[in-house]
C-alpha cells in the first residue's frame, strides 16, 4: 500500500478532480499550527492517513495542504488553501 500513498491529486496544482464524480473523491485538508510541526511528520501523517482512507473506500484522494497556519486569530485571507476549498464548495465543485 505504501506505493499507493504517492497516488493523489494536488488540489492546488491539478484541477482534474473536477472532472470526476463527487462521490468518487475524498478531499483531504491538512495543516499544522506551527512552523516546527510543519517540519515534523504531522503533515505527512495527515496526508498518508487521508490517502489510506480514500484507498479503502475506493476513492480518488485530493490533497489540500495549508502547511503551517495558526488556529488562533487567523482569517480565511490568512489561510489561502482553506479559502480555495470553501470557494470550491460554494461553487458546487466540492459537495
Amino acid at each position: 500500500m505504501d506505493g499507493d500513498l504517492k497516488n493523489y491529486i494536488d488540489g492546488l496544482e491539478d484541477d482534474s478532480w473536477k472532472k470526476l464524480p463527487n462521490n468518487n473523491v475524498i478531499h483531504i485538508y491538512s495543516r499544522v499550527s506551527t512552523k516546527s510541526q510543519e517540519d515534523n511528520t504531522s503533515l505527512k501523517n495527515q496526508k498518508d492517513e487521508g490517502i489510506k482512507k480514500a484507498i479503502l473506500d475506493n476513492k480518488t484522494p485530493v490533497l489540500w495542504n495549508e502547511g503551517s497556519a495558526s488556529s488562533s486569530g487567523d482569517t480565511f485571507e490568512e489561510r489561502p488553501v482553506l479559502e480555495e476549498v470553501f470557494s470550491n464548495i460554494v461553487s458546487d465543485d466540492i459537495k
Side-chain angles (χ1 to χ4, degrees), residues 19-61:
K19 297 175 183 148
L20 300 171
N22 265 304
N23 61 349
N24 288 342
V25 176
I26 289 182
H27 293 272
I28 304 158
Y29 173 77
S30 59
R31 62 165 284 281
V32 291
S33 298
T34 65
K35 194 72 168 161
S36 64
Q37 288 176 314
E38 187 174 25
D39 298 333
N40 204 331
T41 59
S42 182
L43 284 173
K44 181 182 179 332
N45 289 342
Q46 290 175 43
K47 178 186 87 170
D48 290 352
E49 290 304 312
I51 293 171
K52 285 178 190 176
K53 174 64 175 156
I55 291 168
L56 285 173
D57 290 352
N58 200 28
K59 310 271 185 198
T60 300

Side-chain angles (χ1 to χ4, degrees), residues 78-92:
E78 295 166 302
R79 292 187 185 181
V81 176
L82 184 59
E83 190 173 17
E84 179 69 21
V85 170
F86 274 104
S87 173
N88 280 286
I89 291 170
V90 169
S91 68
D92 229 15

